[in-house]
């Protein structure tokens, strides 16, 4: 994303990799639409975009308007907690600046939004190094074969990425052999976005269907499976793109460590376990139609869940900007990251 003459420009991820084009956002509703329609996606990026949406609001002095804006943005997508966490930060900022004029408040929120974007990149760079250190401590300087799912890269964040940030850091250390990318139906974030990032970075990679992953684990000497996360509960259960749960099960069956990388912003310590995570249910037309043409019989209904939840016992390591926890994920270890 970028700002140009007071307009927030959102890279349209639905048009990648063929087209690099931007959607002009002139109002908070414009930003909200890009989130709902998946032009912009990925847990940290959704949070950052919400901070920019506030800057585009012209009646900031009115607390009722601010609350309405807050709720409108919060409802765009339910699973990734980064959105709520950034909005709550903005809410505190609003409370402590209530006496300011609308234009002063806009300046306050522009500074805040720039900070949210910049700090996400910083966190990812640190997370990438933490992840690479952790992997070096397990595998030495071995060049690793990795499976990843969906897109947890520069495109899902404000740069560098979470899971792909670790992969980028491995590449820098010459510790990367190959990346297998799940295509991730129906939006094909793996095929369109992760593969695009791998091409840009000159990283050796192969695209597979999600259902190929277990066979690749059996036949390709995979060293690790690594994904991002959209919400991590206090006990370590985590929600990520649908298909992550079976991936973690298969990784455990094959004794391959399943790891996930995320900033602390992705933790939701207010919920004890993954049972309380709200799973986004999207329109079944996104499954039933392909390229505008119906692919299933008229009388067939679809179930399109955006996310699933991986129980903590299947997780080998959680990689954050504050450090890595592994060797059994527990509430105590997670609480330790926040000290
Ligand atoms: O539906 P999406 O594309 O927003 O889902 C994205 C994911 O599930 C990512 O893996 C997650 O947000 C982590 S991104 C750093």
């Amino acid at each position: 994303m970028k700002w140009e003459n007071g307009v927030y420009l959102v890279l349209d991820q639905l048009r990648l990799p063929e087209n690099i084009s931007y959607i002009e956002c002139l109002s908070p509703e414009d930003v909200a639409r890009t989130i709902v329609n998946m032009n912009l996606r990925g847990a940290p990026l959704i949070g950052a975009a919400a901070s920019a949406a506030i800057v585009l609001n012209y009646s900031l002095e009115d607390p009722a308007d601010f609350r309405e804006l807050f709720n409108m943005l919060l409802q765009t997508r339910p699973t990734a907690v980064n959105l709520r966490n950034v909005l709550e930060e903005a809410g505190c900022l609003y409370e402590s600046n209530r006496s300011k004029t609308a234009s002063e408040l806009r300046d306050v929120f522009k500074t805040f939004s720039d900070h949210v974007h910049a700090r996400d990149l910083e966190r990812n760079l640190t997370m990438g190094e933490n992840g690479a250190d952790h992997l070096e401590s397990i595998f030495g300087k071995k060049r690793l074969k990795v499976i990843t799912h969906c897109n947890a890269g520069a495109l899902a964040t404000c740069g560098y990425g979470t899971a792909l940030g670790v992969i980028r850091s491995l590449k820098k250390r010459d510790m990367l052999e190959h990346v297998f990318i799940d295509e991730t139906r129906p939006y094909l974030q793996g095929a369109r976005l992760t593969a695009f990032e791998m091409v840009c970075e000159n990283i050796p990679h192969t695209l597979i269907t999600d259902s190929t992953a277990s066979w690749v684990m059996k036949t390709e000497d995979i060293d690790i499976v690594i994904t991002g996360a959209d919400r991590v509960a206090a006990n370590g259960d985590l929600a990520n793109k649908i298909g992550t749960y079976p991936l973690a099960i298969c990784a455990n069956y094959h004794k391959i460590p399943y790891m996930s990388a995320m900033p602390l912003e992705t933790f939701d310590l207010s919920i004890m376990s993954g049972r309380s995570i709200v799973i986004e249910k999207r329109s079944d037309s996104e499954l039933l139609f392909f390229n505008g043409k119906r692919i299933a019989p008229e009388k067939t209904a679809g179930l399109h869940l955006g996310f699933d939840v991986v129980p903590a016992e299947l997780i080998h390591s959680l990689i954050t900007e504050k450090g890595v926890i592994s060797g059994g994920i527990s509430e105590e270890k997670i609480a330790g990251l926040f000290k």
Side-chain angles (χ1 to χ4, degrees), residues 138-201:
I138 299 172
F139 294 100
K141 279 288 184 190
K142 183 178 181 210
R143 297 174 88 216
L144 304 178
K145 288 171 105 175
V146 179
I147 295 179
T148 191
H149 187 72
C150 192
N151 174 264
L155 290 163
T157 63
C158 299
Y160 206 66
T162 55
L164 291 194
V166 175
I167 287 172
R168 285 186 160 92
S169 292
L170 288 175
K171 165 98 179 336
K172 281 190 205 150
R173 296 180 188 203
D174 195 24
M175 281 180 60
L176 190 64
E177 175 81 24
H178 203 86
V179 181
F180 289 88
I181 307 167
D182 286 356
E183 67 172 353
T184 351
R185 261 185 59 76
Y187 274 92
L188 304 175
Q189 291 96 327
R192 294 184 304 100
L193 308 177
T194 299
F196 176 65
E197 289 196 39
M198 295 295 95
V199 169
C200 295
E201 295 278 334

Side-chain angles (χ1 to χ4, degrees), residues 191-227:
R192 294 184 304 100
L193 308 177
T194 299
F196 176 65
E197 289 196 39
M198 295 295 95
V199 169
C200 295
E201 295 278 334
N202 214 8
I203 289 179
H205 63 282
T206 303
L207 183 67
I208 55 175
T209 60
D210 298 12
S211 48
T212 307
S214 47
W215 192 250
V216 166
M217 286 180 205
K218 188 176 171 70
T219 56
E220 289 284 347
D221 290 326
I222 297 298
D223 295 296
I224 59 159
V225 175
I226 186 163
T227 70

Side-chain angles (χ1 to χ4, degrees), residues 51-314:
S51 74
I54 298 170
V55 182
L56 295 167
N57 185 26
Y58 282 86
S59 47
L60 276 173
E61 319 95 309
D62 184 344
D65 278 357
F66 188 82
R67 265 193 307 278
E68 204 177 300
L69 171 67
F70 185 103
N71 290 330
M72 186 273 286
L73 290 168
L74 194 58
Q75 281 159 23
T76 52
R77 291 195 73 194
T79 303
V81 74
N82 309 58
L83 173 64
R84 188 194 75 198
N85 285 339
V86 170
L87 287 173
E88 280 179 356
E89 267 188 86
C92 293
L93 200 60
Y94 184 69
E95 285 306 318
S96 53
N97 286 278
R98 280 276 282 276
S99 55
K100 293 207 163 60
T101 63
S103 113
E104 286 168 342
L105 276 169
R106 272 173 70 82
D107 291 345
V108 167
F109 281 112
K110 176 70 170 62
T111 307
F112 171 65
S113 182
D114 289 346
H115 168 67
V116 168
H117 285 72
R119 82 180 175 192
D120 185 58
L121 174 60
E122 278 305 309
R123 286 169 177 170
N124 295 338
L125 291 165
T126 311
M127 199 186 306
E129 288 308 295
N130 288 348
D133 284 346
H134 179 56
L135 289 165
E136 200 172 325
S137 75
I138 299 172
F139 294 100
K141 279 288 184 190
K142 183 178 181 210
R143 297 174 88 216
L144 304 178
K145 288 171 105 175
V146 179
I147 295 179
T148 191
H149 187 72
C150 192
N151 174 264
L155 290 163
T157 63
C158 299
Y160 206 66
T162 55
L164 291 194
V166 175
I167 287 172
R168 285 186 160 92
S169 292
L170 288 175
K171 165 98 179 336
K172 281 190 205 150
R173 296 180 188 203
D174 195 24
M175 281 180 60
L176 190 64
E177 175 81 24
H178 203 86
V179 181
F180 289 88
I181 307 167
D182 286 356
E183 67 172 353
T184 351
R185 261 185 59 76
Y187 274 92
L188 304 175
Q189 291 96 327
R192 294 184 304 100
L193 308 177
T194 299
F196 176 65
E197 289 196 39
M198 295 295 95
V199 169
C200 295
E201 295 278 334
N202 214 8
I203 289 179
H205 63 282
T206 303
L207 183 67
I208 55 175
T209 60
D210 298 12
S211 48
T212 307
S214 47
W215 192 250
V216 166
M217 286 180 205
K218 188 176 171 70
T219 56
E220 289 284 347
D221 290 326
I222 297 298
D223 295 296
I224 59 159
V225 175
I226 186 163
T227 70
D230 286 78
R231 190 179 297 237
V232 188
N235 72 344
D237 294 350
L238 66 84
N240 193 54
K241 177 53 54 195
I242 192 82
T244 307
Y245 176 46
L247 197 63
I249 293 173
C250 290
N252 276 265
Y253 178 79
H254 289 98
K255 303 197 173 18
I256 297 168
Y258 164 71
M259 305 182 173
S260 178
M262 76 292 296
L264 294 192
E265 185 188 85
T266 305
F267 286 78
D268 182 355
L269 301 186
S270 74
I271 56 170
M272 295 321 297
S273 80
R275 271 198 299 275
S276 308
I277 297 178
V278 175
I279 300 294
E280 178 178 14
K281 195 172 175 181
R282 295 188 64 89
S283 162
D284 67 356
S285 64
E286 294 175 350
L287 284 184
L288 299 170
F289 288 79
F290 182 69
N291 268 348
K293 188 175 177 312
R294 194 171 172 105
I295 51 171
E298 281 294 337
K299 288 189 176 159
T300 300
L303 173 65
H304 179 196
L305 303 177
F307 301 89
D308 54 23
V309 175
V310 181
E313 71 247 34
L314 296 182

